[in-house]
Amino acid sequence: MKMTREQKYRMIEQAEPGEIASLEEKVEQCHWRQVFHIQPPTGLLNDPNGFSYYQGEYHLFYQWFPLGTDHGMKYWYHLKSKDLVTWNSAGIGIAPGDYFDSHGAYSGSALEHEGKLYMLYTGNARDEDWIRHPYQCMAVMDENGHITKWEHPVISNVPEGYTDHFRDPKLWKDGNSFYCVIGAQRTNLTGCAVLYRSTDLRTWQFEGELCTGLESFGYMWECPDYFELNEAGVLVFSPQGLEPSGDENHNIYQSGYVIGKPLDTGTRRLEHGAFHELDRGFDFYAPQTMIDPQGRRIMVAWMGLPDIEYPTDPNGWAHCLTLPRELTLHEGKLLQRPIPELTTLRRNREDRVADTLFSESKTYEGFTGTAYELICEVDLLSAKVFGIEFRASETEKTVIKYNAVSRKLVLDRSQSGEPVATSYGEVRQCSWDKDHIKLHLFVDTSSVEIFVNDGEEVFTSRIFPHPESDEIRFFADKGEALFQAVKWDFT
Ligand code: FRU
């Protein structure tokens, strides 16, 4: 049931007696709760925020509306981890409710400075006429883990030329200057990112727009993230309003990046190549990156999309975050690899198989499950198609396959179980032209992340199968395929 505006913009203290307990009960009864992904205790999770390393721990927050699965009053929910795999809940990180974030503590980022963690986020405020007033606000975490919001925002206005869609500051430091990029909409209703500079994190100077080659590229850019990798400049952002074309842009909104020379912060010029989507699957949005103590660039994203209903909504919760992935640069593209720490999820039991398939589909001892890691390497000999059906039963299956005729990798969730967002299609695919394929799957109760050839492509998707759909089948069509696979259960 959809909530009214009044119900959506309630603080957690304003919940009816028993409301949270009843949500918790519904959540507990849900058979799609995840085993090894970050998910909300109740309510809706969206963007990852404030991803950082501070005082020997990783910190990760997410956008959280506790009281339902609508996009209502957003909090920052706080998690901590020593290894990016096991996350401990630290409760509410930033609560909204001041004049500058009266209708939500929206997305933002974190940066350590002089022993404290500074969190710059967007305060979403609405006036009596429901007109939005975005503020950029600061909250600071001290050595004891206490988070204090500053009394007033650090940026209180939207510069001339932009609408009230002005949010999601991403911080970084360069020399003695701090910078942030903010996602914006121009008054001509096109999207862009703008740059601010500060020397003390308190006073921020509007520098102007990032000058990219993407003058008219969607109507809003959410969650921009700028960083440098191997001396290249990378701008990641989530544009809204792109038209589907070929295999691209089939989700309601996109997330992707451009790569070029490092940003010239003086001229704000970013010379770059083509826009690439980060993910080939159905559910991936608003990624955020951080650099860790080993110098790795690590990315986490929301495994979901705005403005789409999900099958867990009736159970009082929605969405999860993706697994952390390390980004590296290869031939002008970003590779995304699951971080090696994830191997600690593996239990002792390991199942292996090596076989040659000839126009057939086969199952193997030990190859079943609902939460596991699976690595499969295949060489197509004469087969036209090789694939894996997983979370399968007589009536359900999710399929990842390579079609050597069309030269496409295909993810098909048309028979995955409870349907999701079917008006946006039930198949996602991308071009692929290598006969040696490594498929690295992380399957959880209601999701799959598939890394192809060590992160050259990734398919990230929610799926909502019956709990008993646990079969794994390997198949080859019209010819021969040689493969080997190894699997580790996570339960
Ligand atoms: C992206 C987004 C951000 C905003 C946040 C609100 O999903 O719309 O632009 O800050 O979510 O929850």
Side-chain angles (χ1 to χ4, degrees):
M1 251 227 315
K2 282 269 161 224
M3 286 183 161
T4 61
R5 185 186 282 175
E6 285 70 29
Q7 290 171 324
K8 282 191 344 189
Y9 289 92
R10 283 176 306 156
M11 297 288 288
I12 203 162
E13 295 80 11
Q14 294 168 300
E16 302 291 331
E19 186 179 350
I20 295 176
S22 117
L23 271 177
E24 283 168 347
E25 202 177 311
K26 281 200 268 177
V27 170
E28 201 175 320
Q29 283 161 12
C30 183
H31 57 233
W32 287 310
R33 290 292 278 174
Q34 299 276 58
V35 174
F36 59 95
H37 284 84
I38 293 171
Q39 60 192 341
T42 62
L44 177 138
L45 162 158
N46 57 301
D47 315 355
N49 292 158
F51 192 19
S52 53
Y53 188 83
Y54 174 62
Q55 291 204 316
E57 281 182 301
Y58 292 94
H59 294 264
L60 178 56
F61 302 77
Y62 59 76
Q63 285 284 288
W64 185 44
F65 173 51
L67 300 179
T69 54
D70 295 81
H71 286 265
M73 186 70 108
K74 296 290 172 68
Y75 288 69
W76 278 37
Y77 193 91
H78 185 192
L79 301 153
K80 297 196 260 186
S81 173
K82 297 253 187 243
D83 62 0
L84 292 163
V85 180
T86 306
W87 291 93
N88 294 314
S89 157
I92 290 167
I94 302 177
D98 286 292
Y99 77 89
F100 48 80
D101 58 8
S102 60
H103 291 71
Y106 275 12
S107 286
S109 56
L111 188 76
E112 186 185 351
H113 178 56
E114 294 179 343
K116 300 209 165 18
L117 191 71
Y118 287 79
M119 290 168 275
L120 183 62
Y121 69 97
T122 300
N124 182 51
R126 299 264 194 185
D127 63 20
E128 312 78 66
D129 302 321
W130 206 245
I131 309 239
R132 189 199 300 272
H133 299 277
Y135 295 95
Q136 314 310 318
C137 317
M138 195 67 90
V140 180
M141 179 154 55
D142 67 19
E143 308 74 19
N144 304 317
H146 290 301
I147 300 175
T148 314
K149 292 204 289 193
W150 284 0
E151 232 172 286
H152 297 292
V154 292
I155 302 172
S156 294
N157 69 314
V158 172
E160 189 73 41
Y162 303 95
T163 73
D164 61 350
H165 288 290
F166 196 82
R167 55 179 172 262
D168 312 336
K170 178 73 189 341
L171 283 164
W172 77 95
K173 191 176 183 202
D174 188 7
N176 292 324
S177 293
F178 299 99
Y179 292 93
C180 74
V181 275
I182 296 182
Q185 179 180 59
R186 301 185 189 103
T187 43
N188 72 3
L189 306 188
T190 55
C192 65
V194 301
L195 183 71
Y196 280 75
R197 180 175 165 263
S198 171
T199 51
D200 59 4
L201 291 165
R202 203 166 267 282
T203 312
W204 288 87
Q205 173 75 34
F206 175 62
E207 299 285 300
E209 229 173 76
L210 288 195
C211 307
T212 67
L214 302 170
E215 258 311 298
S216 180
F217 196 70
Y219 58 80
M220 170 65 189
W221 292 7
E222 294 192 310
C223 302
D225 187 347
Y226 175 77
F227 55 89
E228 285 165 18
L229 199 58
N230 298 1
E231 279 142 48
V234 183
L235 181 68
V236 169
F237 59 105
S238 296
Q240 300 188 313
L242 303 185
E243 288 298 320
S245 98
D247 294 336
E248 320 272 307
N249 306 341
H250 286 281
N251 296 336
I252 184 168
Y253 306 126
Q254 276 56 57
S255 262
Y257 64 94
V258 292
I259 295 187
K261 297 201 187 114
L263 174 70
D264 179 332
T265 49
T267 61
R268 302 181 311 284
R269 198 151 208 95
L270 184 70
E271 280 176 39
H272 60 83
F275 176 82
H276 297 284
E277 276 188 90
L278 270 162
D279 199 274
R280 302 297 184 176
F282 296 89
D283 306 280
F284 182 96
Y285 198 66
Q288 187 172 92
T289 73
M290 60 91 77
I291 188 140
D292 86 342
Q294 301 165 43
R296 299 181 297 178
R297 179 61 59 179
I298 298 174
M299 178 179 78
V300 169
W302 172 20
M303 209 193 301
L305 288 164
D307 307 326
I308 300 276
E309 284 174 17
Y310 280 77
T312 61
D313 292 355
N315 282 94
W317 73 284
H319 309 303
C320 62
L321 297 182
T322 67
L323 295 174
R325 301 145 183 211
E326 184 186 0
L327 299 180
T328 55
L329 198 62
H330 180 68
E331 295 176 352
K333 275 191 67 183
L334 288 180
L335 298 186
Q336 301 172 49
R337 292 201 180 105
I339 53 162
E341 287 92 325
L342 290 165
T343 54
T344 58
L345 288 168
R346 295 175 184 170
R347 300 281 169 265
N348 288 335
R349 182 182 169 140
E350 177 181 290
D351 291 285
R352 285 183 180 272
V353 61
D355 203 359
T356 304
L357 296 172
F358 190 85
S359 305
E360 64 192 320
S361 171
K362 278 173 87 168
T363 57
Y364 300 90
E365 175 77 37
F367 283 78
T368 59
T370 57
Y372 54 85
E373 177 185 358
L374 173 73
I375 302 177
C376 173
E377 297 206 49
V378 58
D379 284 292
L380 257 71
L381 304 175
S382 56
K384 302 283 182 285
V385 181
F386 171 86
I388 309 172
E389 296 173 350
F390 55 97
R391 295 307 310 272
S393 64
E394 289 215 340
T395 53
E396 290 181 352
K397 59 185 177 184
T398 301
V399 188
I400 179 74
K401 62 186 177 190
Y402 174 58
N403 184 323
V405 180
S406 60
R407 303 219 144 241
K408 302 268 187 194
L409 286 164
V410 183
L411 175 67
D412 183 341
R413 73 169 177 185
S414 61
Q415 296 173 75
S416 291
E418 193 69 23
V420 201
T422 49
S423 57
Y424 293 89
E426 297 183 287
V427 170
R428 292 287 182 273
Q429 58 179 27
C430 68
S431 298
W432 185 262
D433 59 8
K434 296 181 182 133
D435 282 338
H436 182 84
I437 307 168
K438 178 174 170 190
L439 299 171
H440 190 168
L441 281 71
F442 289 86
V443 173
D444 204 341
T445 317
S446 54
S447 70
V448 60
E449 285 150 286
I450 306 170
F451 297 84
V452 187
N453 285 33
D454 295 312
E456 286 184 41
E457 301 289 354
V458 191
F459 290 82
T460 301
S461 292
R462 297 303 301 280
I463 48 170
F464 298 92
H466 191 279
E468 279 164 21
S469 298
D470 64 354
E471 287 176 27
I472 304 174
R473 307 175 194 131
F474 297 84
F475 68 93
D477 282 350
K478 302 197 180 74
E480 210 177 352
L482 177 72
F483 82 99
Q484 54 184 21
V486 53
K487 170 178 164 275
W488 296 271
D489 270 313
F490 287 171
T491 48

Short mmCIF file of all heavy atoms in Angstrom, two decimals, residues 229-276:
data_model
loop_
_atom_site.label_atom_id
_atom_site.label_comp_id
_atom_site.label_asym_id
_atom_site.label_seq_id
_atom_site.Cartn_x
_atom_site.Cartn_y
_atom_site.Cartn_z
N LEU A 229 42.84 7.29 -11.59
CA LEU A 229 43.28 5.90 -11.55
C LEU A 229 44.37 5.77 -12.61
O LEU A 229 44.10 6.11 -13.78
CB LEU A 229 42.06 5.03 -11.91
CG LEU A 229 42.03 3.56 -11.56
CD1 LEU A 229 42.21 3.34 -10.06
CD2 LEU A 229 40.70 2.95 -11.99
N ASN A 230 45.55 5.35 -12.22
CA ASN A 230 46.68 5.23 -13.16
C ASN A 230 46.84 6.47 -14.03
O ASN A 230 46.91 6.38 -15.26
CB ASN A 230 46.49 4.06 -14.14
CG ASN A 230 46.43 2.74 -13.44
OD1 ASN A 230 46.51 2.69 -12.23
ND2 ASN A 230 46.31 1.69 -14.21
N GLU A 231 46.78 7.61 -13.41
CA GLU A 231 46.96 8.88 -14.12
C GLU A 231 45.86 9.23 -15.12
O GLU A 231 46.01 10.13 -15.93
CB GLU A 231 48.32 8.93 -14.83
CG GLU A 231 49.42 9.32 -13.84
CD GLU A 231 50.71 8.58 -14.07
OE1 GLU A 231 51.16 8.53 -15.23
OE2 GLU A 231 51.25 8.04 -13.09
N ALA A 232 44.74 8.52 -15.04
CA ALA A 232 43.60 8.92 -15.86
C ALA A 232 42.55 9.54 -14.95
O ALA A 232 42.51 9.26 -13.75
CB ALA A 232 43.02 7.70 -16.57
N GLY A 233 41.71 10.38 -15.52
CA GLY A 233 40.60 10.96 -14.78
C GLY A 233 39.33 10.17 -15.08
O GLY A 233 39.05 9.85 -16.23
N VAL A 234 38.60 9.81 -14.03
CA VAL A 234 37.39 9.02 -14.23
C VAL A 234 36.21 9.75 -13.58
O VAL A 234 36.29 10.15 -12.42
CB VAL A 234 37.52 7.62 -13.56
CG1 VAL A 234 36.26 6.78 -13.83
CG2 VAL A 234 38.76 6.90 -14.04
N LEU A 235 35.16 9.96 -14.33
CA LEU A 235 33.93 10.52 -13.77
C LEU A 235 32.84 9.46 -13.87
O LEU A 235 32.47 9.02 -14.95
CB LEU A 235 33.51 11.78 -14.55
CG LEU A 235 32.23 12.46 -14.03
CD1 LEU A 235 32.45 13.08 -12.65
CD2 LEU A 235 31.74 13.51 -15.01
N VAL A 236 32.37 9.04 -12.68
CA VAL A 236 31.27 8.08 -12.60
C VAL A 236 30.03 8.88 -12.26
O VAL A 236 30.08 9.79 -11.43
CB VAL A 236 31.57 7.06 -11.47
CG1 VAL A 236 30.34 6.21 -11.17
CG2 VAL A 236 32.75 6.17 -11.83
N PHE A 237 28.92 8.59 -12.88
CA PHE A 237 27.67 9.27 -12.51
C PHE A 237 26.47 8.45 -12.96
O PHE A 237 26.61 7.49 -13.72
CB PHE A 237 27.62 10.70 -13.08
CG PHE A 237 27.73 10.79 -14.59
CD1 PHE A 237 26.61 11.06 -15.36
CD2 PHE A 237 28.94 10.60 -15.24
CE1 PHE A 237 26.69 11.15 -16.76
CE2 PHE A 237 29.04 10.68 -16.63
CZ PHE A 237 27.91 10.95 -17.38
N SER A 238 25.31 8.85 -12.47
CA SER A 238 24.07 8.12 -12.77
C SER A 238 23.10 9.05 -13.49
O SER A 238 22.33 9.77 -12.85
CB SER A 238 23.45 7.58 -11.47
OG SER A 238 24.32 6.63 -10.88
N PRO A 239 23.18 9.05 -14.82
CA PRO A 239 22.31 9.96 -15.58
C PRO A 239 20.90 9.41 -15.70
O PRO A 239 20.70 8.21 -15.84
CB PRO A 239 22.99 10.01 -16.96
CG PRO A 239 23.73 8.72 -17.09
CD PRO A 239 24.09 8.28 -15.69
N GLN A 240 19.94 10.31 -15.63
CA GLN A 240 18.54 9.91 -15.82
C GLN A 240 18.06 10.51 -17.13
O GLN A 240 18.37 11.66 -17.44
CB GLN A 240 17.69 10.46 -14.67
CG GLN A 240 18.16 9.95 -13.32
CD GLN A 240 17.24 10.33 -12.19
OE1 GLN A 240 16.82 11.48 -12.08
NE2 GLN A 240 16.92 9.37 -11.32
N GLY A 241 17.30 9.72 -17.88
CA GLY A 241 16.70 10.25 -19.11
C GLY A 241 17.42 9.87 -20.38
O GLY A 241 17.18 10.47 -21.43
N LEU A 242 18.30 8.85 -20.34
CA LEU A 242 18.92 8.39 -21.59
C LEU A 242 17.95 7.46 -22.32
O LEU A 242 17.22 6.70 -21.69
CB LEU A 242 20.22 7.64 -21.31
CG LEU A 242 21.32 8.38 -20.54
CD1 LEU A 242 22.59 7.51 -20.46
CD2 LEU A 242 21.63 9.72 -21.17
N GLU A 243 18.00 7.49 -23.62
CA GLU A 243 17.14 6.61 -24.43
C GLU A 243 17.85 5.27 -24.62
O GLU A 243 19.06 5.24 -24.85
CB GLU A 243 16.91 7.22 -25.81
CG GLU A 243 16.00 8.43 -25.82
CD GLU A 243 14.59 8.10 -25.34
OE1 GLU A 243 14.08 7.01 -25.71
OE2 GLU A 243 14.03 8.91 -24.58
N PRO A 244 17.09 4.16 -24.59
CA PRO A 244 17.72 2.87 -24.91
C PRO A 244 18.24 2.88 -26.35
O PRO A 244 17.63 3.52 -27.21
CB PRO A 244 16.58 1.85 -24.80
CG PRO A 244 15.46 2.56 -24.14
CD PRO A 244 15.67 4.03 -24.31
N SER A 245 19.39 2.22 -26.56
CA SER A 245 19.85 2.06 -27.95
C SER A 245 20.69 0.80 -28.01
O SER A 245 21.59 0.62 -27.18
CB SER A 245 20.61 3.31 -28.39
OG SER A 245 21.99 3.13 -28.30
N GLY A 246 20.37 -0.09 -28.97
CA GLY A 246 21.05 -1.38 -29.04
C GLY A 246 20.91 -2.12 -27.72
O GLY A 246 19.81 -2.23 -27.16
N ASP A 247 22.04 -2.59 -27.18
CA ASP A 247 22.00 -3.31 -25.91
C ASP A 247 22.09 -2.37 -24.70
O ASP A 247 22.07 -2.82 -23.56
CB ASP A 247 23.19 -4.29 -25.84
CG ASP A 247 23.07 -5.40 -26.87
OD1 ASP A 247 21.94 -5.69 -27.30
OD2 ASP A 247 24.12 -5.96 -27.25
N GLU A 248 22.21 -1.08 -24.95
CA GLU A 248 22.49 -0.13 -23.86
C GLU A 248 21.23 0.53 -23.30
O GLU A 248 20.22 0.65 -24.00
CB GLU A 248 23.39 1.01 -24.37
CG GLU A 248 24.50 0.59 -25.30
CD GLU A 248 25.76 0.18 -24.58
OE1 GLU A 248 26.21 0.97 -23.76
OE2 GLU A 248 26.25 -0.94 -24.83
N ASN A 249 21.37 0.99 -22.09
CA ASN A 249 20.39 1.88 -21.45
C ASN A 249 18.98 1.31 -21.34
O ASN A 249 18.00 2.04 -21.57
CB ASN A 249 20.31 3.23 -22.19
CG ASN A 249 21.66 3.89 -22.35
OD1 ASN A 249 22.59 3.55 -21.63
ND2 ASN A 249 21.78 4.80 -23.28
N HIS A 250 18.86 0.05 -20.98
CA HIS A 250 17.52 -0.54 -20.90
C HIS A 250 16.88 -0.44 -19.52
O HIS A 250 15.69 -0.67 -19.38
CB HIS A 250 17.53 -1.98 -21.39
CG HIS A 250 17.66 -2.03 -22.88
ND1 HIS A 250 16.60 -1.81 -23.72
CD2 HIS A 250 18.74 -2.21 -23.67
CE1 HIS A 250 17.01 -1.86 -24.98
NE2 HIS A 250 18.32 -2.10 -24.97
N ASN A 251 17.66 -0.09 -18.50
CA ASN A 251 17.04 0.08 -17.19
C ASN A 251 16.38 1.45 -17.13
O ASN A 251 16.65 2.32 -17.95
CB ASN A 251 18.09 -0.08 -16.09
CG ASN A 251 18.68 -1.49 -16.07
OD1 ASN A 251 18.03 -2.44 -16.54
ND2 ASN A 251 19.89 -1.63 -15.57
N ILE A 252 15.55 1.66 -16.11
CA ILE A 252 14.86 2.95 -16.01
C ILE A 252 15.87 4.10 -15.97
O ILE A 252 15.66 5.13 -16.61
CB ILE A 252 13.87 2.97 -14.83
CG1 ILE A 252 13.09 4.28 -14.80
CG2 ILE A 252 14.54 2.71 -13.48
CD1 ILE A 252 11.90 4.28 -13.84
N TYR A 253 16.95 3.95 -15.21
CA TYR A 253 18.03 4.94 -15.17
C TYR A 253 19.35 4.22 -15.30
O TYR A 253 19.45 3.02 -15.03
CB TYR A 253 18.01 5.73 -13.85
CG TYR A 253 16.68 6.37 -13.54
CD1 TYR A 253 16.04 6.12 -12.32
CD2 TYR A 253 16.04 7.20 -14.46
CE1 TYR A 253 14.80 6.70 -12.03
CE2 TYR A 253 14.81 7.78 -14.18
CZ TYR A 253 14.19 7.52 -12.96
OH TYR A 253 12.97 8.07 -12.67
N GLN A 254 20.40 4.96 -15.69
CA GLN A 254 21.70 4.35 -15.96
C GLN A 254 22.74 4.74 -14.91
O GLN A 254 22.54 5.68 -14.13
CB GLN A 254 22.20 4.80 -17.33
CG GLN A 254 21.67 3.98 -18.47
CD GLN A 254 20.16 3.92 -18.54
OE1 GLN A 254 19.50 4.93 -18.62
NE2 GLN A 254 19.61 2.72 -18.50
N SER A 255 23.86 4.01 -14.96
CA SER A 255 25.02 4.34 -14.15
C SER A 255 26.24 4.02 -14.98
O SER A 255 26.34 2.90 -15.49
CB SER A 255 25.09 3.44 -12.92
OG SER A 255 24.56 4.07 -11.83
N GLY A 256 27.14 4.96 -15.10
CA GLY A 256 28.29 4.67 -15.95
C GLY A 256 29.41 5.66 -15.73
O GLY A 256 29.43 6.38 -14.73
N TYR A 257 30.35 5.68 -16.68
CA TYR A 257 31.55 6.50 -16.48
C TYR A 257 32.13 6.95 -17.80
O TYR A 257 31.86 6.36 -18.85
CB TYR A 257 32.61 5.71 -15.70
CG TYR A 257 33.11 4.49 -16.45
CD1 TYR A 257 34.25 4.55 -17.25
CD2 TYR A 257 32.42 3.28 -16.40
CE1 TYR A 257 34.70 3.44 -17.95
CE2 TYR A 257 32.86 2.17 -17.09
CZ TYR A 257 34.00 2.26 -17.86
OH TYR A 257 34.44 1.16 -18.56
N VAL A 258 32.94 8.01 -17.69
CA VAL A 258 33.80 8.41 -18.80
C VAL A 258 35.23 8.46 -18.27
O VAL A 258 35.45 8.71 -17.09
CB VAL A 258 33.41 9.79 -19.39
CG1 VAL A 258 32.06 9.72 -20.08
CG2 VAL A 258 33.42 10.89 -18.33
N ILE A 259 36.19 8.18 -19.15
CA ILE A 259 37.60 8.20 -18.77
C ILE A 259 38.35 9.15 -19.68
O ILE A 259 38.08 9.20 -20.89
CB ILE A 259 38.22 6.79 -18.93
CG1 ILE A 259 37.58 5.83 -17.94
CG2 ILE A 259 39.74 6.83 -18.70
CD1 ILE A 259 38.22 4.48 -17.89
N GLY A 260 39.27 9.88 -19.11
CA GLY A 260 40.07 10.76 -19.94
C GLY A 260 41.31 11.23 -19.21
O GLY A 260 41.81 10.55 -18.31
N LYS A 261 41.77 12.41 -19.61
CA LYS A 261 42.89 13.01 -18.90
C LYS A 261 42.37 13.48 -17.55
O LYS A 261 41.18 13.75 -17.40
CB LYS A 261 43.40 14.21 -19.69
CG LYS A 261 43.95 13.84 -21.04
CD LYS A 261 44.89 14.94 -21.53
CE LYS A 261 45.31 14.66 -22.96
NZ LYS A 261 44.78 15.67 -23.91
N PRO A 262 43.26 13.62 -16.55
CA PRO A 262 42.80 14.12 -15.25
C PRO A 262 42.09 15.47 -15.41
O PRO A 262 42.43 16.27 -16.28
CB PRO A 262 44.10 14.29 -14.46
CG PRO A 262 45.04 13.32 -15.08
CD PRO A 262 44.70 13.29 -16.54
N LEU A 263 41.10 15.66 -14.56
CA LEU A 263 40.35 16.91 -14.56
C LEU A 263 41.29 18.08 -14.30
O LEU A 263 42.09 18.04 -13.38
CB LEU A 263 39.30 16.84 -13.44
CG LEU A 263 38.49 18.10 -13.17
CD1 LEU A 263 37.53 18.37 -14.31
CD2 LEU A 263 37.71 17.95 -11.86
N ASP A 264 41.18 19.11 -15.13
CA ASP A 264 41.90 20.35 -14.88
C ASP A 264 40.99 21.18 -13.98
O ASP A 264 39.97 21.72 -14.43
CB ASP A 264 42.17 21.05 -16.22
CG ASP A 264 42.90 22.37 -16.02
OD1 ASP A 264 42.75 23.00 -14.95
OD2 ASP A 264 43.63 22.78 -16.96
N THR A 265 41.35 21.28 -12.68
CA THR A 265 40.43 21.93 -11.74
C THR A 265 40.36 23.45 -11.98
O THR A 265 39.41 24.09 -11.55
CB THR A 265 40.84 21.65 -10.28
OG1 THR A 265 42.22 21.91 -10.14
CG2 THR A 265 40.54 20.22 -9.89
N GLY A 266 41.35 23.99 -12.69
CA GLY A 266 41.32 25.42 -13.02
C GLY A 266 40.29 25.72 -14.10
O GLY A 266 39.39 26.54 -13.92
N THR A 267 40.39 25.01 -15.22
CA THR A 267 39.44 25.25 -16.32
C THR A 267 38.19 24.37 -16.19
O THR A 267 37.23 24.57 -16.92
CB THR A 267 40.10 24.91 -17.68
OG1 THR A 267 40.44 23.52 -17.66
CG2 THR A 267 41.36 25.74 -17.91
N ARG A 268 38.25 23.39 -15.31
CA ARG A 268 37.18 22.40 -15.08
C ARG A 268 36.93 21.53 -16.31
O ARG A 268 35.88 20.95 -16.50
CB ARG A 268 35.88 23.07 -14.63
CG ARG A 268 36.02 23.89 -13.38
CD ARG A 268 34.73 24.48 -12.98
NE ARG A 268 34.04 25.14 -14.07
CZ ARG A 268 34.36 26.33 -14.58
NH1 ARG A 268 35.35 27.02 -14.06
NH2 ARG A 268 33.67 26.82 -15.60
N ARG A 269 37.93 21.49 -17.16
CA ARG A 269 37.81 20.72 -18.39
C ARG A 269 38.11 19.24 -18.12
O ARG A 269 39.08 18.91 -17.45
CB ARG A 269 38.84 21.30 -19.36
CG ARG A 269 38.64 20.99 -20.67
CD ARG A 269 39.00 21.74 -21.88
NE ARG A 269 37.97 21.29 -22.82
CZ ARG A 269 36.86 21.92 -23.04
NH1 ARG A 269 36.61 23.06 -22.46
NH2 ARG A 269 35.96 21.42 -23.85
N LEU A 270 37.27 18.37 -18.62
CA LEU A 270 37.52 16.93 -18.53
C LEU A 270 37.43 16.39 -19.95
O LEU A 270 36.35 16.27 -20.52
CB LEU A 270 36.48 16.24 -17.63
CG LEU A 270 36.70 14.75 -17.40
CD1 LEU A 270 37.93 14.49 -16.52
CD2 LEU A 270 35.47 14.11 -16.74
N GLU A 271 38.61 16.13 -20.53
CA GLU A 271 38.61 15.56 -21.89
C GLU A 271 38.46 14.06 -21.75
O GLU A 271 39.22 13.43 -21.03
CB GLU A 271 39.93 15.86 -22.58
CG GLU A 271 40.00 17.26 -23.14
CD GLU A 271 41.36 17.54 -23.73
OE1 GLU A 271 41.93 16.63 -24.37
OE2 GLU A 271 41.84 18.66 -23.51
N HIS A 272 37.50 13.51 -22.41
CA HIS A 272 37.20 12.10 -22.14
C HIS A 272 36.68 11.37 -23.36
O HIS A 272 36.29 12.00 -24.36
CB HIS A 272 36.17 12.01 -21.01
CG HIS A 272 34.88 12.68 -21.37
ND1 HIS A 272 33.91 12.07 -22.12
CD2 HIS A 272 34.41 13.92 -21.09
CE1 HIS A 272 32.90 12.90 -22.28
NE2 HIS A 272 33.18 14.04 -21.67
N GLY A 273 36.63 10.05 -23.24
CA GLY A 273 36.08 9.21 -24.30
C GLY A 273 34.60 8.96 -24.09
O GLY A 273 33.93 9.71 -23.37
N ALA A 274 34.12 7.87 -24.68
CA ALA A 274 32.67 7.58 -24.66
C ALA A 274 32.18 7.21 -23.27
O ALA A 274 32.95 6.75 -22.43
CB ALA A 274 32.39 6.43 -25.63
N PHE A 275 30.90 7.38 -23.05
CA PHE A 275 30.24 6.94 -21.82
C PHE A 275 30.04 5.43 -21.90
O PHE A 275 29.57 4.90 -22.91
CB PHE A 275 28.88 7.64 -21.70
CG PHE A 275 28.04 7.20 -20.53
CD1 PHE A 275 28.26 7.73 -19.27
CD2 PHE A 275 27.01 6.27 -20.69
CE1 PHE A 275 27.48 7.33 -18.18
CE2 PHE A 275 26.23 5.87 -19.61
CZ PHE A 275 26.46 6.40 -18.35
N HIS A 276 30.43 4.73 -20.82
CA HIS A 276 30.19 3.29 -20.74
C HIS A 276 29.29 3.00 -19.55
O HIS A 276 29.55 3.51 -18.46
CB HIS A 276 31.49 2.52 -20.47
CG HIS A 276 32.50 2.66 -21.56
ND1 HIS A 276 32.38 1.98 -22.75
CD2 HIS A 276 33.63 3.38 -21.64
CE1 HIS A 276 33.42 2.29 -23.52
NE2 HIS A 276 34.19 3.14 -22.87
#
